[in-house]
Structures are given as structure tokens and as C-alpha cells.
Amino acid sequence: MNQFKKNIFLITGASGFIGSNLLRRLVEKKAQVHIILRKKSNTWRINDLLHKVKIHYSDLSKYEEVLKIVQKTKPTVIYHLASFGAYPFQINPDKILKVNVMGTWNLLHALLNHEYKLFVNTGSSSEYGFKNKPMKETDLLEPASYYAVSKCTQTHLCSHMAKESNKPIVTLRPFSVYGPYEEPSRFIPTLLKSLYSGKKMSLTSPETARDFIYVDDMVDAYLKIEELRKYQGMCFNIGTGIQSTIKQVVKEASEVTNRKISLEWGKIKPRSWDTTNWVADISLAKKLLKWKPRYDLNRGLHKNWEWFKNK
């Protein structure tokens, strides 16, 4: 029996960008999946999947409800992707801390007396702060926003509980993930929309850089179940190890789509998180998880464009 048939999966944040792609893959594999959704969740990414999964309506801030869900579902693999504050329009510090820190604590606490195979926490590359070299898991964390501070706390909480309670908890730190179902206001969806419509696009500095990783590669990392469970308490960077400026991404996307648009560089003022250096050192994930990205920027943009045109 394969790992998808023998495990019971529980996902938080399944209606989000990465969570929806992970859910989609698990449903394709005919896995038994339970998801925790808030009553007010916007489910546009997963509406076609809802009849194939078990839905539990709750909020991670409600410990007793989360405990009941755990006792009822008895999950063996838990993917924790629910978070708040990753987007510029999510700026309420109280809610950021409540969702990311207390929500994580409630979920971990609810699972404390339950035996499970793996708990995968979702961190963020923003935990590192600004570095002038590839970011390594052993680097000092220097968070530069409430969101980044909350993700650091979340990661430390998971790492501590893994060691303190001997639980198979690990953290994946995504870099700049892109692909189908990404938040439409983000850079790459906005770029593809502009290329599709031929409309002028406003941009920040062309030298702003990121480590862009295609979402299928991110999902592959979550599904390294047997490898991940060996390294409780550890963190793994999930990126490509290659940095691209947004100027390079625009050029690549223009070639992939065979379209050109008028660009207004510098029209968007530099944001606090913009930097010319943001890249992952992925040697740890390659070595220990036997994982590596399958998509370079060109191939990832090709696949994203095909999805975008047909959605």
C-alpha cells in the first residue's frame, strides 16, 4: 500500500495558494484528506475539490474545537499552512500573532497526546531578514516585520516541541513560490495578466531579486514524508538556489508568452521587503530529503502560462 492510501492527512490553510496545490496533489493521489476551514474562508481555489475531502469548520484560535477535530480524524500526517500576514494588505499585528503563533500552539497542543507520523510546519524565508549571501538554515534569524517575527516564533515553537515531546515535527521554509492559484495581486500573476491583456505594467526597481520556486516543486517537498520524519525539529529551505531579478523574470516571461508590454520601471516605490539579494542555500534539503527542484524559471513560467490561459 502506498503512502497516500495508508495515511490520513489533515491540512490547515488548504484554501490558500500553496495549501490548495498540495490538496490538489493529494486528491489526485486518492488520499484520505481532512481540511480545517474557517466559515468565512474564500474557497475559490478548491471549490472543485470540496466534495472529495472531509471539511471541518473551525478556527485554530479555538483550542477545544481543534482538539475535537484531531480526536475525530486521528490524522497521521499533518500539514500546517494556515497563516496571516504574508500579503501587504494583511497588516494587523494582533491578528498576525494570534493566527501564526497561537494558532500553531493550539494545533500542536491538540496533537500532543496523539500519535502521528509527521507534522510539517510552514515557515518563511522572511525569518532570515536581509542577508548578503545565500540563506542557510544555521544563519541568525533577523526578522524585519511582524509577520517575519511571528513565523520565527512559530518555527521555534515547533522545533522546541519536537525535542521536548519527541514529536516528528519539521519546518519547511518556502522562498518565493509561484504558480497556479497564486494570489492574483502578486508579481508573477500580475505580469502574466499584463502580458495576456497587453496592458502597461508598473514595477519597482528592476534589480529587486528573489529566489522564485515553482509550486509543484514546493509540493514535492511536503510529500517527502519518510525522509522528513527522520529529522524532527529541523528546518529546510525550499527554493531553487538561483536568484532572479524581476527584470530577468519579465524578460523570461516575455519570451515564454511571445508577447511584449510597456513597462514603467520604478513606478512602484521600493517596499520595506525589497532587496537585491534573496536566495536560498538548498544543500540541506538536497542532501537529507533527496529533494531538488524540477523546474527552472523558464519551465515553471511555461507551465504557469498554460494554466493561466486555460483557467
Side-chain angles (χ1 to χ4, degrees):
M1 191 186 284
N2 70 28
Q3 63 179 356
F4 300 106
K5 295 283 174 64
K6 69 185 179 185
N7 284 303
I8 299 168
F9 295 88
L10 176 64
I11 307 179
T12 74
S15 62
F17 165 42
I18 299 173
S20 64
N21 279 276
L22 174 58
L23 177 62
R24 204 161 284 280
R25 185 87 68 89
L26 289 172
V27 167
E28 281 170 11
K29 301 283 188 186
K30 297 185 166 44
Q32 184 179 341
V33 188
H34 297 262
I35 64 175
I36 298 177
L37 282 184
R38 288 174 297 108
K39 282 264 170 48
K40 293 180 179 177
S41 289
N42 184 346
T43 56
W44 68 273
R45 294 177 173 96
I46 56 171
N47 282 331
D48 61 320
L49 304 176
L50 294 178
H51 68 289
K52 297 181 178 180
V53 301
K54 300 274 175 59
I55 305 167
H56 306 271
Y57 290 102
S58 185
D59 187 312
L60 293 185
S61 65
K62 295 169 181 165
Y63 169 72
E64 293 298 333
E65 288 184 12
V66 176
L67 180 61
K68 280 179 186 168
I69 292 168
V70 167
Q71 290 170 339
K72 185 178 178 182
T73 60
K74 298 180 173 58
T76 55
V77 177
I78 302 95
Y79 291 123
H80 179 38
L81 295 100
S83 74
F84 183 83
Y87 301 123
F89 52 83
Q90 297 176 330
I91 55 173
N92 183 330
D94 287 334
K95 190 169 181 184
I96 288 170
L97 294 167
K98 183 181 176 185
V99 173
N100 299 350
V101 180
M102 289 313 299
T104 301
W105 166 246
N106 285 338
L107 183 59
L108 289 169
H109 192 198
L111 287 158
L112 196 54
N113 297 314
H114 172 69
E115 288 294 319
Y116 53 88
K117 183 182 278 187
L118 177 66
F119 180 110
V120 184
N121 174 53
T122 307
S124 167
S125 63
S126 66
E127 295 174 53
Y128 290 114
F130 299 103
K131 308 290 185 197
N132 56 11
K133 60 180 180 54
M135 298 170 185
K136 206 172 172 65
E137 292 85 350
T138 50
D139 285 350
L140 177 69
L141 301 182
E142 299 176 284
S145 67
Y146 283 115
Y147 173 72
V149 168
S150 74
K151 295 305 272 187
C152 283
T153 308
Q154 184 178 326
T155 297
H156 283 314
L157 191 55
C158 288
S159 183
H160 176 72
M161 185 170 269
K163 291 161 189 166
E164 174 84 2
S165 305
N166 193 28
K167 291 286 191 181
I169 304 166
V170 297
T171 293
L172 297 183
R173 276 199 184 119
F175 276 66
S176 294
V177 188
Y178 70 98
Y181 303 100
E182 189 177 358
E183 169 60 39
S185 63
R186 303 276 280 189
F187 166 55
I188 288 180
T190 304
L191 173 60
L192 295 182
K193 189 177 176 184
S194 292
L195 287 163
Y196 188 78
S197 66
K199 286 185 180 171
K200 189 184 293 184
M201 185 175 178
S202 299
L203 293 141
T204 184
S205 163
E207 298 313 310
T208 300
R210 286 285 180 271
D211 184 336
F212 292 97
I213 176 166
Y214 191 63
V215 70
D216 283 5
D217 285 327
M218 186 74 222
V219 171
D220 287 348
Y222 280 101
L223 299 183
K224 286 284 189 178
I225 295 168
E226 294 305 322
E227 290 83 358
L228 285 165
R229 66 193 300 257
K230 295 176 192 170
Y231 301 105
Q232 61 185 51
M234 288 182 65
C235 285
F236 294 94
N237 287 338
I238 305 298
T240 62
I242 298 166
Q243 178 170 286
S244 302
T245 63
I246 62 170
K247 186 177 182 180
Q248 288 171 317
V249 177
V250 169
K251 182 174 180 288
E252 199 79 52
S254 189
E255 287 172 9
V256 161
T257 61
N258 199 25
R259 296 171 185 229
K260 287 195 169 10
I261 47 170
S262 178
L263 303 166
E264 294 186 308
W265 291 107
K267 189 80 185 280
I268 296 175
K269 296 281 180 277
R271 284 90 37 105
S272 59
W273 60 89
D274 284 337
T275 175
T276 55
N277 192 85
W278 201 278
V279 63
D281 179 325
I282 56 170
S283 52
L284 196 67
K286 279 182 171 177
K287 182 182 175 186
L288 300 185
L289 303 181
K290 306 292 184 281
W291 168 93
K292 64 179 179 182
R294 294 180 288 132
Y295 293 86
D296 61 15
L297 185 62
N298 182 281
R299 190 168 166 230
L301 287 171
H302 258 292
K303 204 165 177 199
N304 202 0
W305 177 242
E306 288 308 311
W307 174 84
F308 182 85
K309 286 190 298 180
N310 296 318
K311 73 179 172 67

